Amino acid sequence: MADLSRRPALAEEALLSLLLPFWQLVIGAFVLAVLLLSVRRLARRGPSRMTTALLITAAAIAGFAVVGLLLEA
């Protein structure tokens, strides 16, 4: 006979599946707010810092893409 004590209740799984998108939305909203505030602050500092920030961001994106491709294989 199967051990039922290790399996979560179906109601628990349903509740977590309903809450998961909500928490992702909350986290995404905070990330977006911080991103907008930092871009605003960076834009006020001038074009030279903006260029440096854009280059660093582009390098980070390329780096993440390469790591993602390497881990996928």
Side-chain angles (χ1 to χ4, degrees):
M1 186 168 196
D3 184 19
L4 297 177
S5 62
R6 292 185 179 204
R7 294 178 56 196
L10 289 178
E12 254 181 62
E13 289 178 10
L15 181 61
L16 287 176
S17 67
L18 286 174
L19 289 177
L20 185 62
F22 172 73
W23 286 113
Q24 288 174 343
L25 182 66
V26 170
I27 292 169
F30 277 117
V31 168
L32 184 64
V34 169
L35 179 68
L36 290 176
L37 290 173
S38 64
V39 166
R40 181 176 160 222
R41 182 178 177 192
L42 189 59
R44 281 189 282 147
R45 289 187 174 196
S48 66
R49 291 203 183 204
M50 269 305 265
T51 302
T52 304
L54 287 173
L55 289 174
I56 291 172
T57 303
I61 290 170
F64 282 129
V66 168
V67 169
L69 287 174
L70 290 176
L71 291 177
E72 184 180 293

